[in-house]
Amino acid sequence: MRFTEVISDISSANKLLEKGEKVVINHKTDSDDNIYYLNTGMRVSVDPEEMLIKGDHIINTTKDFLDIIKPVNFGDSQWLVRSRTTGKQYLAFMEDKTWLNLYQTGQLPVITAKYCMIAIIRIDAFKTKRKTEIKRAEILRVISVISSDEVQNELF
């Protein structure tokens, strides 16, 4: 919260300046002469407490049913997936390296739109009143990849 208090203090100080006044901060060291010019027009109309985003940090590990929108056939980039449970689309790191190696070496069939991945995932998210923002997602373990028809039976 300290940062928001400093911004508020600068805004309050700016309100006390006369028109045309400037604020210059000079910081000399042995090797440098640093000069900083503050924006004296900056104003903040909210309290420092209101500048902070209020919400909850959530880390959840769960079994999920994922539509694979963009698999990674080479390397370790993030997979683009859509959760059938929540409907959310997000990027996820594939942490099941054994399964990934089998998939990328052709020992498992290519995942297309007619398949669904059942996996254990971990979601690191920030939830506010308005939305839930996923900060990091990981596919920890692939349980299986099945046809979309089988998924309907397993979901119900």
Side-chain angles (χ1 to χ4, degrees), residues 7-149:
I7 294 297
S8 182
D9 289 347
I10 292 172
S11 174
S12 296
N14 283 343
K15 291 175 186 174
L16 300 173
L17 295 174
E18 295 292 326
K19 188 174 184 166
E21 280 188 294
K22 295 182 185 203
V23 176
V24 178
I25 299 172
N26 191 353
H27 179 261
K28 289 188 179 199
T29 63
D30 291 338
S31 60
D32 265 337
D33 187 11
N34 298 312
I35 298 175
Y36 304 96
Y37 299 92
L38 291 185
N39 177 356
T40 57
M42 186 209 46
R43 302 288 189 270
V44 177
S45 60
V46 296
D47 292 329
E49 299 84 32
E50 293 177 39
M51 288 186 220
L52 299 174
I53 297 173
K54 293 178 176 73
D56 297 316
H57 181 229
I58 300 167
I59 298 176
N60 187 30
T61 301
T62 188
K63 176 180 173 182
D64 204 354
F65 297 80
L66 305 173
D67 288 321
I68 306 301
I69 298 168
K70 184 182 145 215
V72 178
N73 295 320
F74 302 98
D76 59 359
S77 296
Q78 296 179 62
W79 291 53
L80 182 59
V81 301
R82 180 183 302 114
S83 167
R84 289 196 178 185
T85 307
T86 65
K88 288 199 176 293
Q89 182 174 306
Y90 55 87
L91 291 167
F93 290 98
M94 177 59 72
E95 297 299 334
D96 189 341
K97 300 304 182 191
T98 303
W99 183 90
L100 181 63
N101 184 51
L102 292 171
Y103 178 76
Q104 289 182 339
T105 57
Q107 297 175 55
L108 297 173
V110 173
I111 299 173
T112 63
K114 61 183 178 179
Y115 291 100
C116 175
M117 177 185 287
I118 303 172
I120 303 298
I121 62 166
R122 180 174 38 230
I123 301 291
D124 184 347
F126 191 76
K127 184 176 183 177
T128 64
K129 287 182 181 178
R130 293 188 190 135
K131 66 178 182 172
T132 300
E133 184 177 332
I134 296 173
K135 298 294 185 187
R136 181 179 173 92
E138 300 169 319
I139 300 169
L140 300 176
R141 185 169 58 89
V142 177
I143 298 170
S144 64
V145 177
I146 60 177
S147 75
S148 290
D149 296 335

